[in-house]
Amino acid sequence: MLATLAFWAFSGVLIASAFMVVIARNPVRSVLFLILAFFSAAGLFVLLGAEFLAMLLIVVYVGAVAVLFLFVVMMLDVNFTELKQGFLSYLPLGAIVALILAGELVMIAMTWQTSPQAEALRAAATPEGMSNLEALGLILYNDYIYFFQTSGLVLLVAMIGAIVLTLRHKSGVKRQSVTAQVGRRREEAIEMLDIKPGQGIGE
Amino acid sequence: MADFITQFGIWGGLGMAVLQILGFTIVLLIALAFLLLMDRKVWAAVQMRKGPNVVGAFGLLQSFADFFKFVFKEIVIPAGVDRPLYILAPLLTLVLAFATWAVVPVAPGWVISDLNVGLLYLFAMSSLGVYGIIIGGWASNSKFPFLAALRSAAQMVSYEVSIGFVIVTVLLFAGSMNLTVIVEAQSGGFWNWNVLAGRALFEDGWPMFLVMIPMTVIFFISALAETNRPPFDLAEAESELVAGYQTEYSSTPYLLFMIGEYLNIVLMCAMTTILFFGGWNSPIELDTTAWPYLASHLWYFFWFAIKVVFFFFMFAMVKALVPRYRYDQLMRLGWKIFLPTSLAAVALVGAYIVFGAQG
């Protein structure tokens, strides 16, 4: 019964906060509601027994990605109420698109059939005798190791691409040399002078 | 909690769980009050002052006096702040700081929730701590808090990366993310603690302490940065940013921020203890199987507590001794030194697990 209660609580909060992401006037609040939505989704994962995925969702999405969102949105100085003026004139077009999408969803839902083989393929989130961390690790690093490494390479290429795009070598710029800064000794930096009162260090 | 429900039924089980959490929280808060005093006494001693010594004997009740002062002051909410978020930020900091303690084992079996992914939970919750600061800085609608929020967010995100890799080395040694298992894997004497990794040396002949001692140092320094403690307290550098993200906060909201911050510091001390210094294990293992339940558990708790207090002392000494870092130096340290070093350490420990470890 507790699990059912928790399920309704998490999914209720999830849907409500997802809705608030769309209708909140302030973009920072939108991002915060998005974070709440991630959090509730993580709760649902825990209820399913996929605790590793839940933690991953929090570490990756809430702990890192959403922080970047928040960063960007906070730095933006855009008047969103002004941007949203005349928004209602798009209502008929939006309604038509939404109706078409909803109709398609209903059509899919009506003709959906589960194959008998799919039922057999379905795996429990926590297989017998091991935690789902071990289960995921075994599958990911034994069966799909090449895919895993390829995706890593793709990310590496993206990273190098970003660096190449933004790296500019300008001539005539004074650059910071960390080794020179760290390697500085007291003798090079400080000179002790005995200054007579009222004379200063004049030439 | 699941055992409670099977034992006492659903409501009795819930009640027991709530009682347990309440007990843990109260003990933690009282311990925190004295740790705060210790913090101030240590700085005072370093600076050859006496520190708080008026309220109670040796100033023992100083923290409680401060607490009442904060609580009874008027809550000033400046005009122009985003009210709900302004209030939410300190609450979030405090709640997350407490929630993290749910998986910390203080003695064998003495843990609120013995999660399978306990280590990841700790990591996740401590990475959420940044929200209290960002939201607080932004909702204050003031320039210095906002700058501080940005600084501290960048800092915490950067150091999380190296903390993550250091944690990976530890969990490779234990083969589990369960904190109880990690602590038990280090039993048998201080040479078996992860910082010395004695099993690898004595049983397999791999000198893994050469990797793990630097990892411990990296973890400790990253913990300083993660909790915005000096020398990495750029988020509240008073000479640059007044009081950072807390500038617009006063009385109880400020108190919540402060408690949350100190809870995180003590948590980082507890994590250092659990991950590298054997958790509740005593330096020389005694056979406690014949001892009465309470005696043996208090014995283990004693060792856990003394290690945590030692690391808290180290935190306090660092604050008293080390000057503040410059921001670019901080970022360089995190990304260019700690990250490659800890990555290399993960590779080395992985190599040991695959090629060196028996069984």
Side-chain angles (χ1 to χ4, degrees), chain B residues 49-77:
Chain B
R49 293 182 287 115
K50 281 201 167 137
N53 64 348
V54 176
V55 191
F58 311 111
L60 275 178
L61 299 177
Q62 179 67 43
S63 301
F64 298 96
D66 286 343
F67 175 81
F68 286 117
K69 187 191 78 179
F70 278 126
V71 171
F72 288 128
K73 270 186 173 176
E74 184 192 354
I75 299 177
V76 180
I77 299 185

PDB file of all heavy atoms in Angstrom, chain B residues 49-77:
ATOM      1  N   ARG B  49      44.100  33.468  20.596  1.00  0.00           N
ATOM      2  CA  ARG B  49      43.007  34.104  21.322  1.00  0.00           C
ATOM      3  C   ARG B  49      42.394  33.049  22.227  1.00  0.00           C
ATOM      4  O   ARG B  49      42.822  31.899  22.206  1.00  0.00           O
ATOM      5  CB  ARG B  49      41.929  34.609  20.364  1.00  0.00           C
ATOM      6  CG  ARG B  49      42.348  35.723  19.473  1.00  0.00           C
ATOM      7  CD  ARG B  49      41.190  36.183  18.604  1.00  0.00           C
ATOM      8  NE  ARG B  49      40.877  35.232  17.537  1.00  0.00           N
ATOM      9  CZ  ARG B  49      39.748  34.561  17.428  1.00  0.00           C
ATOM     10  NH1 ARG B  49      38.797  34.718  18.329  1.00  0.00           N
ATOM     11  NH2 ARG B  49      39.547  33.735  16.434  1.00  0.00           N
ATOM     12  N   LYS B  50      41.378  33.435  22.985  1.00  0.00           N
ATOM     13  CA  LYS B  50      40.722  32.446  23.832  1.00  0.00           C
ATOM     14  C   LYS B  50      39.512  31.831  23.163  1.00  0.00           C
ATOM     15  O   LYS B  50      39.093  30.744  23.496  1.00  0.00           O
ATOM     16  CB  LYS B  50      40.302  33.096  25.147  1.00  0.00           C
ATOM     17  CG  LYS B  50      41.472  33.224  26.099  1.00  0.00           C
ATOM     18  CD  LYS B  50      40.993  33.381  27.509  1.00  0.00           C
ATOM     19  CE  LYS B  50      42.133  33.198  28.479  1.00  0.00           C
ATOM     20  NZ  LYS B  50      42.121  34.186  29.552  1.00  0.00           N
ATOM     21  N   GLY B  51      38.895  32.549  22.227  1.00  0.00           N
ATOM     22  CA  GLY B  51      37.678  32.031  21.627  1.00  0.00           C
ATOM     23  C   GLY B  51      36.513  32.221  22.574  1.00  0.00           C
ATOM     24  O   GLY B  51      36.653  32.826  23.630  1.00  0.00           O
ATOM     25  N   PRO B  52      35.333  31.722  22.184  1.00  0.00           N
ATOM     26  CA  PRO B  52      34.159  31.905  23.035  1.00  0.00           C
ATOM     27  C   PRO B  52      34.374  31.227  24.385  1.00  0.00           C
ATOM     28  O   PRO B  52      34.659  30.043  24.441  1.00  0.00           O
ATOM     29  CB  PRO B  52      33.031  31.237  22.249  1.00  0.00           C
ATOM     30  CG  PRO B  52      33.683  30.434  21.201  1.00  0.00           C
ATOM     31  CD  PRO B  52      35.029  31.000  20.951  1.00  0.00           C
ATOM     32  N   ASN B  53      34.279  31.994  25.488  1.00  0.00           N
ATOM     33  CA  ASN B  53      34.496  31.375  26.801  1.00  0.00           C
ATOM     34  C   ASN B  53      33.572  31.940  27.862  1.00  0.00           C
ATOM     35  O   ASN B  53      33.820  31.787  29.040  1.00  0.00           O
ATOM     36  CB  ASN B  53      35.950  31.550  27.226  1.00  0.00           C
ATOM     37  CG  ASN B  53      36.303  33.007  27.411  1.00  0.00           C
ATOM     38  OD1 ASN B  53      35.546  33.878  27.007  1.00  0.00           O
ATOM     39  ND2 ASN B  53      37.434  33.270  28.017  1.00  0.00           N
ATOM     40  N   VAL B  54      32.490  32.599  27.452  1.00  0.00           N
ATOM     41  CA  VAL B  54      31.650  33.267  28.450  1.00  0.00           C
ATOM     42  C   VAL B  54      30.402  32.458  28.778  1.00  0.00           C
ATOM     43  O   VAL B  54      30.069  32.271  29.938  1.00  0.00           O
ATOM     44  CB  VAL B  54      31.260  34.678  27.939  1.00  0.00           C
ATOM     45  CG1 VAL B  54      30.327  35.329  28.926  1.00  0.00           C
ATOM     46  CG2 VAL B  54      32.506  35.513  27.740  1.00  0.00           C
ATOM     47  N   VAL B  55      29.728  31.943  27.743  1.00  0.00           N
ATOM     48  CA  VAL B  55      28.455  31.254  27.975  1.00  0.00           C
ATOM     49  C   VAL B  55      28.735  29.822  28.417  1.00  0.00           C
ATOM     50  O   VAL B  55      29.245  29.017  27.644  1.00  0.00           O
ATOM     51  CB  VAL B  55      27.595  31.247  26.700  1.00  0.00           C
ATOM     52  CG1 VAL B  55      26.195  30.775  27.015  1.00  0.00           C
ATOM     53  CG2 VAL B  55      27.573  32.605  26.059  1.00  0.00           C
ATOM     54  N   GLY B  56      28.426  29.500  29.651  1.00  0.00           N
ATOM     55  CA  GLY B  56      28.682  28.151  30.137  1.00  0.00           C
ATOM     56  C   GLY B  56      30.156  27.961  30.435  1.00  0.00           C
ATOM     57  O   GLY B  56      30.992  28.807  30.115  1.00  0.00           O
ATOM     58  N   ALA B  57      30.507  26.811  31.037  1.00  0.00           N
ATOM     59  CA  ALA B  57      31.898  26.546  31.353  1.00  0.00           C
ATOM     60  C   ALA B  57      32.692  26.410  30.068  1.00  0.00           C
ATOM     61  O   ALA B  57      32.282  25.691  29.159  1.00  0.00           O
ATOM     62  CB  ALA B  57      31.999  25.268  32.174  1.00  0.00           C
ATOM     63  N   PHE B  58      33.808  27.102  29.928  1.00  0.00           N
ATOM     64  CA  PHE B  58      34.667  27.120  28.733  1.00  0.00           C
ATOM     65  C   PHE B  58      33.875  27.506  27.483  1.00  0.00           C
ATOM     66  O   PHE B  58      34.267  27.155  26.383  1.00  0.00           O
ATOM     67  CB  PHE B  58      35.319  25.749  28.484  1.00  0.00           C
ATOM     68  CG  PHE B  58      35.959  25.158  29.695  1.00  0.00           C
ATOM     69  CD1 PHE B  58      35.416  24.042  30.290  1.00  0.00           C
ATOM     70  CD2 PHE B  58      37.102  25.731  30.222  1.00  0.00           C
ATOM     71  CE1 PHE B  58      36.018  23.502  31.413  1.00  0.00           C
ATOM     72  CE2 PHE B  58      37.706  25.186  31.348  1.00  0.00           C
ATOM     73  CZ  PHE B  58      37.156  24.076  31.948  1.00  0.00           C
ATOM     74  N   GLY B  59      32.761  28.196  27.633  1.00  0.00           N
ATOM     75  CA  GLY B  59      31.962  28.562  26.471  1.00  0.00           C
ATOM     76  C   GLY B  59      31.218  27.401  25.838  1.00  0.00           C
ATOM     77  O   GLY B  59      30.813  27.480  24.686  1.00  0.00           O
ATOM     78  N   LEU B  60      31.008  26.342  26.610  1.00  0.00           N
ATOM     79  CA  LEU B  60      30.395  25.136  26.036  1.00  0.00           C
ATOM     80  C   LEU B  60      29.008  25.392  25.482  1.00  0.00           C
ATOM     81  O   LEU B  60      28.563  24.713  24.560  1.00  0.00           O
ATOM     82  CB  LEU B  60      30.313  24.034  27.095  1.00  0.00           C
ATOM     83  CG  LEU B  60      31.566  23.187  27.257  1.00  0.00           C
ATOM     84  CD1 LEU B  60      31.374  22.172  28.354  1.00  0.00           C
ATOM     85  CD2 LEU B  60      31.891  22.484  25.948  1.00  0.00           C
ATOM     86  N   LEU B  61      28.299  26.373  26.053  1.00  0.00           N
ATOM     87  CA  LEU B  61      26.921  26.599  25.614  1.00  0.00           C
ATOM     88  C   LEU B  61      26.824  27.697  24.562  1.00  0.00           C
ATOM     89  O   LEU B  61      25.736  28.118  24.193  1.00  0.00           O
ATOM     90  CB  LEU B  61      26.045  26.961  26.814  1.00  0.00           C
ATOM     91  CG  LEU B  61      25.979  25.862  27.871  1.00  0.00           C
ATOM     92  CD1 LEU B  61      25.150  26.316  29.052  1.00  0.00           C
ATOM     93  CD2 LEU B  61      25.388  24.605  27.282  1.00  0.00           C
ATOM     94  N   GLN B  62      27.974  28.168  24.057  1.00  0.00           N
ATOM     95  CA  GLN B  62      27.989  29.271  23.103  1.00  0.00           C
ATOM     96  C   GLN B  62      27.086  29.003  21.895  1.00  0.00           C
ATOM     97  O   GLN B  62      26.291  29.849  21.498  1.00  0.00           O
ATOM     98  CB  GLN B  62      29.421  29.517  22.637  1.00  0.00           C
ATOM     99  CG  GLN B  62      29.567  30.627  21.631  1.00  0.00           C
ATOM    100  CD  GLN B  62      29.253  31.980  22.236  1.00  0.00           C
ATOM    101  OE1 GLN B  62      29.681  32.275  23.354  1.00  0.00           O
ATOM    102  NE2 GLN B  62      28.491  32.796  21.521  1.00  0.00           N
ATOM    103  N   SER B  63      27.177  27.791  21.323  1.00  0.00           N
ATOM    104  CA  SER B  63      26.395  27.500  20.121  1.00  0.00           C
ATOM    105  C   SER B  63      24.909  27.587  20.400  1.00  0.00           C
ATOM    106  O   SER B  63      24.144  28.037  19.564  1.00  0.00           O
ATOM    107  CB  SER B  63      26.727  26.110  19.603  1.00  0.00           C
ATOM    108  OG  SER B  63      28.079  26.020  19.319  1.00  0.00           O
ATOM    109  N   PHE B  64      24.508  27.142  21.616  1.00  0.00           N
ATOM    110  CA  PHE B  64      23.082  27.204  21.938  1.00  0.00           C
ATOM    111  C   PHE B  64      22.639  28.649  22.080  1.00  0.00           C
ATOM    112  O   PHE B  64      21.551  29.033  21.630  1.00  0.00           O
ATOM    113  CB  PHE B  64      22.799  26.407  23.203  1.00  0.00           C
ATOM    114  CG  PHE B  64      23.129  24.956  23.040  1.00  0.00           C
ATOM    115  CD1 PHE B  64      24.352  24.448  23.446  1.00  0.00           C
ATOM    116  CD2 PHE B  64      22.234  24.095  22.426  1.00  0.00           C
ATOM    117  CE1 PHE B  64      24.671  23.128  23.259  1.00  0.00           C
ATOM    118  CE2 PHE B  64      22.549  22.774  22.228  1.00  0.00           C
ATOM    119  CZ  PHE B  64      23.770  22.290  22.649  1.00  0.00           C
ATOM    120  N   ALA B  65      23.487  29.474  22.686  1.00  0.00           N
ATOM    121  CA  ALA B  65      23.165  30.898  22.798  1.00  0.00           C
ATOM    122  C   ALA B  65      23.013  31.515  21.413  1.00  0.00           C
ATOM    123  O   ALA B  65      22.057  32.252  21.145  1.00  0.00           O
ATOM    124  CB  ALA B  65      24.257  31.612  23.586  1.00  0.00           C
ATOM    125  N   ASP B  66      23.948  31.172  20.509  1.00  0.00           N
ATOM    126  CA  ASP B  66      23.864  31.689  19.139  1.00  0.00           C
ATOM    127  C   ASP B  66      22.577  31.246  18.478  1.00  0.00           C
ATOM    128  O   ASP B  66      21.910  32.011  17.789  1.00  0.00           O
ATOM    129  CB  ASP B  66      25.051  31.185  18.311  1.00  0.00           C
ATOM    130  CG  ASP B  66      26.320  31.895  18.689  1.00  0.00           C
ATOM    131  OD1 ASP B  66      26.209  32.953  19.333  1.00  0.00           O
ATOM    132  OD2 ASP B  66      27.397  31.396  18.348  1.00  0.00           O
ATOM    133  N   PHE B  67      22.245  29.968  18.709  1.00  0.00           N
ATOM    134  CA  PHE B  67      21.028  29.418  18.114  1.00  0.00           C
ATOM    135  C   PHE B  67      19.820  30.248  18.526  1.00  0.00           C
ATOM    136  O   PHE B  67      19.024  30.673  17.688  1.00  0.00           O
ATOM    137  CB  PHE B  67      20.869  27.965  18.564  1.00  0.00           C
ATOM    138  CG  PHE B  67      19.605  27.320  18.109  1.00  0.00           C
ATOM    139  CD1 PHE B  67      19.507  26.802  16.824  1.00  0.00           C
ATOM    140  CD2 PHE B  67      18.505  27.227  18.946  1.00  0.00           C
ATOM    141  CE1 PHE B  67      18.352  26.208  16.392  1.00  0.00           C
ATOM    142  CE2 PHE B  67      17.339  26.635  18.517  1.00  0.00           C
ATOM    143  CZ  PHE B  67      17.261  26.119  17.239  1.00  0.00           C
ATOM    144  N   PHE B  68      19.690  30.512  19.826  1.00  0.00           N
ATOM    145  CA  PHE B  68      18.518  31.265  20.280  1.00  0.00           C
ATOM    146  C   PHE B  68      18.539  32.686  19.753  1.00  0.00           C
ATOM    147  O   PHE B  68      17.508  33.244  19.403  1.00  0.00           O
ATOM    148  CB  PHE B  68      18.435  31.247  21.808  1.00  0.00           C
ATOM    149  CG  PHE B  68      17.977  29.914  22.314  1.00  0.00           C
ATOM    150  CD1 PHE B  68      18.796  29.135  23.105  1.00  0.00           C
ATOM    151  CD2 PHE B  68      16.725  29.427  21.960  1.00  0.00           C
ATOM    152  CE1 PHE B  68      18.374  27.895  23.550  1.00  0.00           C
ATOM    153  CE2 PHE B  68      16.296  28.188  22.399  1.00  0.00           C
ATOM    154  CZ  PHE B  68      17.129  27.424  23.197  1.00  0.00           C
ATOM    155  N   LYS B  69      19.735  33.260  19.665  1.00  0.00           N
ATOM    156  CA  LYS B  69      19.826  34.607  19.118  1.00  0.00           C
ATOM    157  C   LYS B  69      19.281  34.638  17.692  1.00  0.00           C
ATOM    158  O   LYS B  69      18.457  35.479  17.354  1.00  0.00           O
ATOM    159  CB  LYS B  69      21.279  35.070  19.140  1.00  0.00           C
ATOM    160  CG  LYS B  69      21.437  36.514  18.738  1.00  0.00           C
ATOM    161  CD  LYS B  69      22.885  36.871  18.506  1.00  0.00           C
ATOM    162  CE  LYS B  69      23.334  36.355  17.171  1.00  0.00           C
ATOM    163  NZ  LYS B  69      24.723  36.687  16.861  1.00  0.00           N
ATOM    164  N   PHE B  70      19.715  33.668  16.877  1.00  0.00           N
ATOM    165  CA  PHE B  70      19.257  33.632  15.486  1.00  0.00           C
ATOM    166  C   PHE B  70      17.750  33.442  15.405  1.00  0.00           C
ATOM    167  O   PHE B  70      17.062  34.090  14.633  1.00  0.00           O
ATOM    168  CB  PHE B  70      19.940  32.493  14.735  1.00  0.00           C
ATOM    169  CG  PHE B  70      21.302  32.826  14.244  1.00  0.00           C
ATOM    170  CD1 PHE B  70      22.383  32.036  14.564  1.00  0.00           C
ATOM    171  CD2 PHE B  70      21.497  33.941  13.452  1.00  0.00           C
ATOM    172  CE1 PHE B  70      23.648  32.348  14.111  1.00  0.00           C
ATOM    173  CE2 PHE B  70      22.754  34.255  12.989  1.00  0.00           C
ATOM    174  CZ  PHE B  70      23.827  33.455  13.324  1.00  0.00           C
ATOM    175  N   VAL B  71      17.238  32.517  16.223  1.00  0.00           N
ATOM    176  CA  VAL B  71      15.828  32.161  16.100  1.00  0.00           C
ATOM    177  C   VAL B  71      14.927  33.303  16.534  1.00  0.00           C
ATOM    178  O   VAL B  71      13.878  33.540  15.936  1.00  0.00           O
ATOM    179  CB  VAL B  71      15.539  30.883  16.916  1.00  0.00           C
ATOM    180  CG1 VAL B  71      14.053  30.627  16.975  1.00  0.00           C
ATOM    181  CG2 VAL B  71      16.232  29.700  16.283  1.00  0.00           C
ATOM    182  N   PHE B  72      15.345  34.059  17.540  1.00  0.00           N
ATOM    183  CA  PHE B  72      14.458  35.096  18.057  1.00  0.00           C
ATOM    184  C   PHE B  72      14.579  36.415  17.321  1.00  0.00           C
ATOM    185  O   PHE B  72      13.839  37.346  17.585  1.00  0.00           O
ATOM    186  CB  PHE B  72      14.699  35.305  19.559  1.00  0.00           C
ATOM    187  CG  PHE B  72      14.180  34.155  20.359  1.00  0.00           C
ATOM    188  CD1 PHE B  72      14.977  33.502  21.282  1.00  0.00           C
ATOM    189  CD2 PHE B  72      12.884  33.708  20.170  1.00  0.00           C
ATOM    190  CE1 PHE B  72      14.499  32.438  21.998  1.00  0.00           C
ATOM    191  CE2 PHE B  72      12.396  32.636  20.885  1.00  0.00           C
ATOM    192  CZ  PHE B  72      13.199  32.001  21.803  1.00  0.00           C
ATOM    193  N   LYS B  73      15.518  36.511  16.372  1.00  0.00           N
ATOM    194  CA  LYS B  73      15.609  37.750  15.600  1.00  0.00           C
ATOM    195  C   LYS B  73      14.492  37.798  14.564  1.00  0.00           C
ATOM    196  O   LYS B  73      13.981  36.760  14.145  1.00  0.00           O
ATOM    197  CB  LYS B  73      16.955  37.791  14.878  1.00  0.00           C
ATOM    198  CG  LYS B  73      18.044  38.427  15.673  1.00  0.00           C
ATOM    199  CD  LYS B  73      19.275  38.538  14.806  1.00  0.00           C
ATOM    200  CE  LYS B  73      20.352  39.319  15.499  1.00  0.00           C
ATOM    201  NZ  LYS B  73      21.561  39.329  14.673  1.00  0.00           N
ATOM    202  N   GLU B  74      14.173  39.020  14.154  1.00  0.00           N
ATOM    203  CA  GLU B  74      13.148  39.165  13.128  1.00  0.00           C
ATOM    204  C   GLU B  74      13.709  38.705  11.789  1.00  0.00           C
ATOM    205  O   GLU B  74      14.873  38.951  11.475  1.00  0.00           O
ATOM    206  CB  GLU B  74      12.724  40.628  13.028  1.00  0.00           C
ATOM    207  CG  GLU B  74      11.593  40.850  12.050  1.00  0.00           C
ATOM    208  CD  GLU B  74      11.375  42.307  11.752  1.00  0.00           C
ATOM    209  OE1 GLU B  74      12.028  43.144  12.399  1.00  0.00           O
ATOM    210  OE2 GLU B  74      10.557  42.602  10.858  1.00  0.00           O
ATOM    211  N   ILE B  75      12.867  38.027  11.011  1.00  0.00           N
ATOM    212  CA  ILE B  75      13.287  37.620   9.668  1.00  0.00           C
ATOM    213  C   ILE B  75      13.076  38.800   8.738  1.00  0.00           C
ATOM    214  O   ILE B  75      11.941  39.223   8.516  1.00  0.00           O
ATOM    215  CB  ILE B  75      12.482  36.410   9.176  1.00  0.00           C
ATOM    216  CG1 ILE B  75      12.705  35.229  10.111  1.00  0.00           C
ATOM    217  CG2 ILE B  75      12.871  36.055   7.758  1.00  0.00           C
ATOM    218  CD1 ILE B  75      11.895  34.023   9.744  1.00  0.00           C
ATOM    219  N   VAL B  76      14.165  39.329   8.220  1.00  0.00           N
ATOM    220  CA  VAL B  76      14.057  40.472   7.308  1.00  0.00           C
ATOM    221  C   VAL B  76      14.083  39.941   5.882  1.00  0.00           C
ATOM    222  O   VAL B  76      15.044  39.301   5.476  1.00  0.00           O
ATOM    223  CB  VAL B  76      15.219  41.453   7.518  1.00  0.00           C
ATOM    224  CG1 VAL B  76      15.067  42.625   6.569  1.00  0.00           C
ATOM    225  CG2 VAL B  76      15.258  41.909   8.943  1.00  0.00           C
ATOM    226  N   ILE B  77      13.007  40.205   5.143  1.00  0.00           N
ATOM    227  CA  ILE B  77      12.992  39.827   3.734  1.00  0.00           C
ATOM    228  C   ILE B  77      13.079  41.104   2.916  1.00  0.00           C
ATOM    229  O   ILE B  77      12.151  41.911   2.935  1.00  0.00           O
ATOM    230  CB  ILE B  77      11.716  39.036   3.379  1.00  0.00           C
ATOM    231  CG1 ILE B  77      11.675  37.755   4.216  1.00  0.00           C
ATOM    232  CG2 ILE B  77      11.695  38.703   1.899  1.00  0.00           C
ATOM    233  CD1 ILE B  77      10.529  36.847   3.873  1.00  0.00           C
TER     234      ILE B  77
END
